[in-house]
Amino acid sequence: MLFLIRIYYGGVLMEKNTGIIDRLLLFTLIPSFFIALYLIFIWSPVEKVMGATQKIFYFHVGSAWVAFLAFGVVGYYSVRVLIKPRLQHHINAGISAEIGVLFTTITLITGMIWGKSSWNTWWTWEPRLATTLILWFIYVAYLFVRKMDGSTEKIARLSAVFGIIGVINVPIVFMAIRWWNTKLHPIVFGEGKNQSGGGIEPDMLVALLFSIFTITLLYAFLMRKGIEIEKMRHIVKKAKSKAIEKLAG
């Protein structure tokens, strides 16, 4: 959490006055982070079969949720880019995609650690893992497309198409273990006709929901700060281009 404080107070964003929302997010995020750690490692019970390794479940599920949220935001702004192109929409989609890729990476890594403990293997081509990896590759490609040379309008439209294709894969990832009826990946909620799932202890559920809440706050904070940094980059880029034109003239 120290790096968040440094970002906020260290002048990285080159602005002295931060908005009320930014302050509210930061001052809610810091205590929430420590409360989440307490709930996960101290308050919630240890799972009988997997033991302490099960604690990674809280980070794994929270990261997966935020990844889905981030890619949903990418899809939303990608559609808006195609309907009515605006630089702000392009920026918002790009920052959300970067955060989504980060949390998808965390999801994959924590999932591999879980798999090693639960299935005795780091990786298996189980439907949820395979579709998540495909989702990761799609949005890594999306980020590469955004870095291509060319006019901003063309890059924005091309990357928007990738963003929409990627978000279509999100429900596929979520439903993979239900559609393909895998026995490896556990279904905690929503299994079968009555959507009962395997169930979870009430204390564990509280820890899970609070960890999801905290990681969502982190997404919102990173999103706002990322947008501010990207806006600053575009301002510097414009100023640089004008300076070059003047010197050339």
Side-chain angles (χ1 to χ4, degrees):
M1 296 303 293
L2 290 175
F3 86 98
L4 295 176
I5 298 172
R6 286 174 183 169
I7 288 176
Y8 192 79
Y9 289 110
V12 177
L13 302 178
M14 293 179 285
E15 59 175 33
K16 294 180 180 179
N17 298 318
T18 55
I20 295 174
I21 296 177
D22 294 333
R23 293 182 182 181
L24 182 62
L25 277 173
L26 181 69
F27 295 134
T28 305
L29 177 60
I30 292 174
S32 294
F33 176 79
F34 290 106
I35 293 170
L37 290 179
Y38 170 78
L39 291 175
I40 291 169
F41 292 107
I42 299 175
W43 192 71
S44 64
V46 177
E47 207 271 334
K48 292 180 181 179
V49 178
M50 294 187 65
T53 308
Q54 182 269 342
K55 301 288 185 179
I56 204 169
F57 166 78
Y58 303 104
F59 301 99
H60 178 72
V61 175
S63 298
W65 152 251
V66 168
F68 289 166
L69 172 64
F71 294 144
V73 172
V74 175
Y76 169 75
Y77 282 110
S78 295
V79 170
R80 295 196 67 177
V81 165
L82 294 178
I83 294 174
K84 190 176 181 181
R86 283 185 59 188
L87 180 60
Q88 185 62 58
H89 298 159
H90 181 57
I91 290 174
N92 292 354
I95 298 302
S96 193
E98 290 177 4
I99 300 171
V101 168
L102 170 64
F103 279 102
T104 304
T105 304
I106 294 172
T107 302
L108 288 169
I109 292 171
T110 53
M112 289 168 65
I113 297 171
W114 172 286
K116 181 60 178 175
S117 177
S118 181
W119 311 328
N120 198 32
T121 181
W122 289 105
W123 184 269
T124 178
W125 291 102
E126 183 265 347
R128 172 66 64 80
L129 293 179
T131 52
T132 302
L133 183 62
I134 291 170
L135 183 70
W136 185 84
F137 274 119
I138 290 173
Y139 278 103
V140 168
Y142 170 89
L143 294 178
F144 274 109
V145 169
R146 290 179 65 93
K147 299 297 181 183
M148 289 170 57
D149 294 328
S151 67
T152 304
E153 278 191 25
K154 288 183 179 179
I155 297 300
R157 288 184 177 277
L158 181 59
S159 60
V161 173
F162 269 82
I164 294 169
I165 292 172
V167 80
I168 292 172
N169 195 39
V170 168
I172 296 175
V173 174
F174 180 78
M175 296 299 296
I177 54 178
R178 293 163 174 82
W179 289 344
W180 283 283
N181 195 28
T182 177
K183 298 301 181 184
L184 285 176
H185 210 109
I187 299 176
V188 180
F189 306 105
E191 184 178 16
K193 292 181 180 179
N194 59 359
Q195 296 291 290
S196 60
I200 185 172
E201 288 290 329
D203 291 350
M204 289 182 175
L205 180 60
V206 171
L208 174 62
L209 293 176
F210 197 86
S211 64
I212 291 173
F213 168 75
T214 302
I215 298 174
T216 305
L217 280 180
L218 178 59
Y219 164 77
F221 181 83
L222 293 176
M223 184 73 177
R224 289 183 64 84
K225 294 305 167 187
I227 290 171
E228 289 179 15
I229 292 172
E230 194 62 26
K231 281 181 179 178
M232 189 61 67
R233 283 179 182 166
H234 279 278
I235 291 171
V236 171
K237 188 177 179 180
K238 274 189 176 181
K240 187 177 178 181
S241 298
K242 287 182 180 179
I244 292 172
E245 286 178 7
K246 286 183 179 180
L247 287 173

